[in-house]
Amino acid sequence: MAAEEPGEPGSAGSLRRCLARLGALRARPDDGGRRTELHLLFDQLISESCGPEPAAAPGPQDVCAVLVQACQLVPLDQEHLVSKVCQLIHHLLNRYQVMVDEQNLNFLLSYCISALRQCSSWTHVEILQALAALVYNNGPKCQKYLPDLLGTAGLLLQFSDPAQPDVELRRAAVRSMANLCLSVPGQPYLDESYRSVCFQTFLSVLQSSKTTDVDDITFCMLLQSALKGVQSLLNGGKMKLMQIDQIGALLAVLKKCMFHGLPGLSIEVPTALYPAPLPQYDKRSPVKQEQSEPATSKQTGSRRKKCKGKQKKGEFGEEGREDSRDAGDETVLGADMQKLQLGDVQSSPCPEPRPRVSDVCAGRDPPSCQPCKRFSSSESEYSDTEGGIQGKVRSFQANVRQGALACFLSTIKSIEKRVLYGYWSAFVPDAPGIGSPQSVSLMTIALKDPSPKTRACALQALSAFLEGSKQFLSVAEDANDHKRAFTPFSVTIASSIRELHRCLLLALVAESSSQTLTQIVKCLAILVSNAPYSRLKPGLLTRVWNQIKPYISHKDVNVRVSSLTLLGAIVSVQAPLPEVQLLLQQPSSSGLSGSATPAREQWRKAVPWAGESPQGSPAGCEQGRKAVPWAGESPQGSPAGCAPPEPCWLLRLCVSLIVLPREDSCSDSDAAFPALGSVYEPCPLRLEALQVLALLVKGYFPMAQSYFLGLGEVACRCMEEMDPSIQLHGAKLLEELGMGVLQQHKPDSPTAPEQRVPVSLVVTFWTMMLNGPLPGTLQSSPHATLQTSACDALSSILPEAFSLLQGDQQILCVTLLLGLNHSENPLVKAAAARALGVYILFPCLRQDVMFVADTANAILNSLHDKSPNVRAKAAWSLGNLTDTLIINMETMGQSFQEELSDLLLLKLLRSATEASKDRDKVKSNAVRALGNVLHFLQPCHVANPRFREAIEESLQALIATVGSEATMKVRWNACYALGNVFKNPALPLGEAPWATQAFSALSSVVKSCKNFKVRIKSAMALSIPSRRECYGSTEQFCQIWSALVVALQRSEDTEDFLEFKYSSSLRSQLCQALLHLLQLARSTDLPLIGGSLREHGQAIRPYVLQYLSSPGQSEAGAHTELAQRERGLQGAIEHLSAIERELQGKARVRVSLYLEDVLTHHTNATELAEA
């Protein structure tokens, strides 16, 4: 062969020379010499494509040109050449990952389809391999060939038929079909009819059983192709599994394939699974049946042995366009696992002589364990050849299990969760019953499979299965012992949750692969986040807590990060939980003795807490510790009186990981996570520690408050660093600290005043922040997310502490927020607008007219922003600002109203009216602001011509919103706003046309709105006018009365069961409104009211009696509330009696008599109950 031209890449040059030779051959006659030349040329190309990796791959154009030329030179009657040219297509496209252009694809596909129709059957496997390589990721370009391939008599359907005797041919056809099903982003997908045909074909393959004449490896490859096909259909996003039969059949075959070839286990799954609360019958095959499968017969006693047989080059490369799998991914997990009790798991991961996990999981007594050692071929009962074959078979079986688990993962994403959880018992373990074996589940694979990659796949699938299961698991309950003839579903689910904890902790101790260990811990974190621990017997979280502690110092940084994630899940789930509070109060050394290495023990002494002396610490740590004022170093550091004798273990751990230098730069195997100058721990670890610390502060603030200033210093240090992600989470920690103080100091806080963080300490805290990095962080314009978090943190300051800050610091806060309100970034602008809405409620700021005006102008600016999020936050702040106007009007009186600019007030009214036509998130607060501004208006404003049009528009906007189809929150706020409007005596409520519209809208809502909370608010609004004149004419007054009577009769009519809990409050509000109207009624109103009572009096009487005898939701002040109700009824009787006396018997129905009868009945019932 001639030498290659200088600079010509090897493979590219070889292909071009072959192309030239093919061109030369076209000119020669089709004789024996030409065929021989083609044979030699194809053999050379095939051998080169199977050889060593070339220095530079040839271009796609060269590959396509060679393949097209080759096909043009080979007529279909020369079958040996057809076979070789198809092998060439298969090898070249796979080796160089070439995507064939549409023109060449059409020619090559036509050639292959014609060859399948005309050539002998012995060539079909090679032709189908070429077809699979051609259609890989080219499905959208093959549309015109789909009838030939997948139609009624399609070639792929014929060759993949279950009756096809040649399994290799069937496998090649299924693989081609699977490659056709691959989706290409942005390209059209297969039609529904073709998808259905492919799905049924794949399903029939997976449902088939291996016959004796089929070898294990071929059968495994057939299953793999079908699994990849199903996964491609599901991942395409076009196929949603909806039919129960379809779902059940697929889940059944996937469950069967998950356990394919698993050593020591052979199960028979029914042809379809059905939604069921209890585990369905999995028939265990007798052990002797396992001997028919050589892959599973010899290795049941050794769980984690690496196969000694090595893969020969090209053996696994025959799968056209498939992801290559590791043949030897089984690693050794010491069979000498620590002895574990079924109920609990010890905390040490150090290996001791221990039973197999399979024995522990099944509840069997362990045999006497001898440490298992990996044997060489001379020690094995197999010969070298047999051992190599066994290893290869095990590898292919593991690939099937991994494919089934990957397909199950895609299935989980394609089924609605409410449907998926009907199959909970088929895939999640349950505690075995007395005398019955435990059902096989995903945890069986996680505990027994010899391949760490398969175990990781099972855990990943289980994690996806558990994700979002909170609502389903919320029914679990086993806090009380159930002694019944049947087991409630709640107890069954609780039992399953307990078994999940037990099995995952077993897997944690047994696992040796770091990647799989990470998946176990992540799965535990998801389980913890979704389990209802408040309804379960305590102890589960304690076991998880004690078991995970040693893994914080694991050599693999991913394991350490996921362990922190799990701890974060524990402190955030349903916080505060009594069990977690006890865990957090444990001393730092609890559960760690003998499990942590000496090098990692240092962090326990690294940060001074409660007066500890920094003995034996590095000089670099000394300076850092002096800067952290922890509780115990100053008397005022502990608001509860004194700090605990030893700090919270978790809090101390997180702080040490965040702020202290790492102790051993080589201990983490964290090349993928370079630490900052190799001084601190890896960045992901520090970020996770910061998140856990923030969750701890959020859920268990009373425990964290003893270290309030120290945690503030940690936040400061983080915000001073160069890494924006560390700065961001430092700001989030600061926000949680601020929010914790705010929650403690709320008027309804359950925390006793002496147990709260003292205001003086809060002032010190915020002084430190404002003199530290917070102002600089707020002005860090390149990092918008960081600015946003800093803005949120600044808005969490305690109002009482803000008023005690120095004047220049108060001005700094306000100036920063007003400036950020003009930011071009919508995230920052939204956060600033929200923060101004918080500050406007501060007592020391809301009375400052200049600040109110500046804030109002800033909020109005944001209210016209193009970002919906900015407008929503600005509308919320506008609602708060107008709340402030009402508070100032009631507390400061005329002086504040006169100082506020009329022009600003008009701008507020017009902007709020415009915002009330925006989307619902903006509208809900805009109508609240409208109600407040209309309540605030004085007679001079109402009489001002400039205001008249704006007032009319705003009122029409409110009325329209009340009767609209907007969300219930919007309508609730609109009813509340109209109630505020009715409180303003300056508005002409009794005579204005809009008043009739307002009363009509509220009357309609109180009768027919689906949401009872909206009905309650509308009834409340109807009872606000304090004078009879405000209700207008007699006709209008009686319409309101009739609407309230009808609403009372309908107070139990609802289609939504959740609304029933508000029905009692609705009836109370309706009765109060009716009595309010009776107290204001005129003589002209009585005939219509009397007629209404004559018709509906008996129907509403029980509701009125219930109103008089049943207090509201809270027991506090119940007696006073009932007395006020009786006085209201007595006042109505007196008022009506006086009117009826004036009428001198002209009233046809004496309303007062009806009310007196109700009151007498109530009094007698009360006396009888007290007696």
Side-chain angles (χ1 to χ4, degrees), residues 26 71 89 158 543 551 561 568 607 788-789 822 965 1030 1060 1119:
R26 294 190 67 178
C71 290
I89 293 172
Q158 292 177 28
R543 291 173 195 156
Y551 292 92
V561 171
V607 181
T788 301
S789 288
H822 296 283
E965 295 298 321
C1030 296
F1060 273 112
H1119 183 75

Side-chain angles (χ1 to χ4, degrees), residues 799-819:
E800 294 88 333
F802 183 88
S803 63
L804 296 175
L805 289 175
Q806 295 179 4
D808 58 339
Q809 290 180 329
Q810 292 184 3
I811 293 171
L812 173 65
C813 293
V814 171
T815 305
L816 284 170
L817 292 178
L818 288 171

Side-chain angles (χ1 to χ4, degrees), residues 863 878 907-917 926-927 929-930:
L863 200 59
L878 181 64
K907 283 173 64 178
L908 289 173
L909 194 58
R910 285 175 174 165
S911 295
T913 304
E914 184 181 347
S916 70
K917 300 167 186 174
V927 294
L930 272 181

Side-chain angles (χ1 to χ4, degrees), residues 261-265 290 295-296 299-300 302-303 394 401 448-450:
L262 185 62
L265 186 69
E290 297 174 16
T296 61
Q299 298 294 329
T300 56
S302 178
R303 178 172 171 245
R394 285 198 300 272
R401 298 196 294 274
K448 287 190 172 186
D449 202 290

Side-chain angles (χ1 to χ4, degrees), residues 868-900:
N869 186 42
V870 173
R871 297 200 302 275
K873 300 292 185 186
W876 179 81
S877 295
L878 181 64
N880 285 3
L881 184 140
T882 54
D883 285 343
T884 294
L885 298 183
I886 302 302
I887 294 171
N888 287 343
M889 179 180 72
E890 293 170 352
T891 56
M892 299 174 64
Q894 195 74 20
S895 61
F896 180 83
Q897 293 170 309
E898 291 174 353
E899 288 183 45
L900 195 66

Side-chain angles (χ1 to χ4, degrees), residues 884-1169:
T884 294
L885 298 183
I886 302 302
I887 294 171
N888 287 343
M889 179 180 72
E890 293 170 352
T891 56
M892 299 174 64
Q894 195 74 20
S895 61
F896 180 83
Q897 293 170 309
E898 291 174 353
E899 288 183 45
L900 195 66
S901 162
D902 286 357
L903 182 60
L904 177 60
L905 202 58
L906 186 59
K907 283 173 64 178
L908 289 173
L909 194 58
R910 285 175 174 165
S911 295
T913 304
E914 184 181 347
S916 70
K917 300 167 186 174
D918 204 333
R919 57 182 62 194
D920 283 354
K921 285 189 176 181
V922 180
K923 187 185 296 185
S924 61
N925 284 297
V927 294
R928 174 166 73 102
L930 272 181
N932 284 331
V933 175
L934 290 169
H935 181 193
F936 182 83
L937 294 177
Q938 303 305 303
C940 60
H941 301 130
V942 176
N944 191 328
R946 289 195 304 169
F947 276 83
R948 194 169 300 150
E949 183 181 354
I951 291 173
E952 182 65 29
E953 286 182 6
S954 61
L955 285 165
Q956 290 302 326
L958 276 181
I959 294 166
T961 306
V962 168
S964 70
E965 295 298 321
T967 60
M968 296 308 167
K969 182 178 179 181
V970 173
R971 299 179 72 183
W972 187 94
N973 273 329
C975 293
Y976 173 81
L978 275 181
N980 269 341
V981 172
F982 293 165
K983 293 177 183 177
N984 190 346
L987 292 171
L989 188 56
E991 49 200 57
W994 59 263
T996 303
Q997 296 172 321
F999 284 125
S1000 175
L1002 290 171
S1003 299
S1004 174
V1005 167
V1006 82
K1007 289 187 295 184
S1008 59
C1009 184
K1010 294 179 180 178
N1011 188 283
F1012 277 16
K1013 292 171 78 174
V1014 176
R1015 289 201 212 180
I1016 291 169
K1017 193 54 65 176
S1018 61
M1020 193 177 293
L1022 288 171
S1023 63
I1024 282 176
S1026 56
R1027 294 177 293 112
R1028 171 63 186 82
E1029 296 77 22
C1030 296
Y1031 286 100
S1033 65
T1034 298
E1035 182 184 2
Q1036 184 168 289
F1037 182 86
C1038 292
Q1039 285 175 352
I1040 297 170
W1041 166 271
S1042 298
L1044 291 170
V1045 169
V1046 171
L1048 190 57
Q1049 291 175 280
R1050 295 179 181 174
S1051 60
E1052 292 181 349
D1053 297 345
T1054 178
E1055 297 175 359
D1056 188 353
F1057 180 76
L1058 296 175
E1059 294 298 324
F1060 273 112
K1061 61 184 176 182
Y1062 303 112
S1063 59
S1064 177
S1065 299
L1066 173 61
R1067 287 192 290 272
S1068 296
Q1069 190 59 55
L1070 289 168
C1071 290
Q1072 182 181 336
L1074 286 170
L1075 289 178
H1076 176 76
L1077 291 181
L1078 290 175
Q1079 290 172 349
L1080 299 178
R1082 295 172 178 164
S1083 58
T1084 53
D1085 304 324
L1086 291 187
L1088 288 172
I1089 292 175
S1092 173
L1093 287 176
R1094 186 169 56 248
E1095 186 177 351
H1096 304 290
Q1098 290 302 314
I1100 66 172
R1101 179 189 176 101
Y1103 298 132
V1104 179
L1105 288 171
Q1106 185 182 18
Y1107 167 73
L1108 293 172
S1109 58
S1110 302
Q1113 298 293 329
S1114 96
E1115 295 295 326
H1119 183 75
T1120 305
E1121 183 182 354
L1122 291 178
Q1124 288 176 346
R1125 293 179 179 183
E1126 286 185 25
R1127 285 196 296 273
L1129 178 60
Q1130 190 67 50
I1133 292 171
E1134 293 173 359
H1135 172 72
L1136 292 171
S1137 298
I1139 293 176
E1140 288 166 352
R1141 281 195 298 272
E1142 291 177 5
L1143 292 174
Q1144 297 178 351
K1146 294 179 183 178
R1148 285 178 289 179
V1149 176
R1150 291 191 61 189
V1151 179
S1152 61
L1153 291 179
Y1154 174 84
L1155 296 180
E1156 285 173 359
D1157 183 52
V1158 170
L1159 182 59
T1160 302
H1161 190 283
H1162 166 69
T1163 305
N1164 294 338
T1166 304
E1167 291 174 353
L1168 187 63

Side-chain angles (χ1 to χ4, degrees), residues 617-783:
S617 57
C621 303
E622 183 72 23
Q623 183 178 0
R625 288 204 295 272
K626 288 180 179 177
V628 186
W630 296 108
E633 296 177 358
S634 59
Q636 72 270 24
S638 179
C642 63
E646 196 170 359
C648 166
W649 169 80
L650 182 57
L651 192 146
R652 182 174 186 171
L653 165 67
C654 292
V655 171
S656 66
L657 289 174
I658 295 164
V659 302
L660 295 184
R662 65 194 308 185
E663 294 165 1
D664 182 1
S665 60
C666 301
S667 64
D668 290 289
S669 303
D670 51 12
F673 306 109
L676 181 62
S678 297
V679 173
Y680 293 110
E681 296 285 357
C683 186
L685 195 64
R686 300 180 70 209
L687 288 175
E688 199 63 43
L690 270 167
Q691 292 184 64
V692 174
L693 200 55
L695 290 170
L696 179 62
V697 170
K698 181 179 181 179
Y700 299 87
F701 185 77
M703 187 163 295
Q705 74 181 66
S706 299
Y707 318 104
F708 185 61
L709 290 181
L711 292 172
E713 177 63 25
V714 171
C716 273
R717 286 197 196 180
C718 291
M719 287 191 289
E720 287 170 349
E721 290 195 19
M722 299 300 294
D723 188 337
S725 57
I726 298 290
Q727 290 178 300
L728 173 65
H729 285 86
K732 289 185 179 295
L733 173 60
L734 174 58
E735 181 187 0
E736 292 299 345
L737 288 166
M739 292 303 298
V741 174
L742 278 175
Q743 295 294 328
Q744 266 196 350
H745 284 263
K746 277 187 173 180
D748 57 350
S749 170
T751 308
E754 64 274 10
Q755 296 292 326
R756 300 174 184 175
V757 179
V759 175
S760 59
L761 195 64
V762 183
V763 173
T764 304
F765 176 88
W766 283 105
T767 301
M768 177 173 67
M769 295 299 146
L770 293 170
N771 290 334
L774 185 57
T777 304
L778 283 162
Q779 298 173 51
S780 178
S781 55
H783 305 293

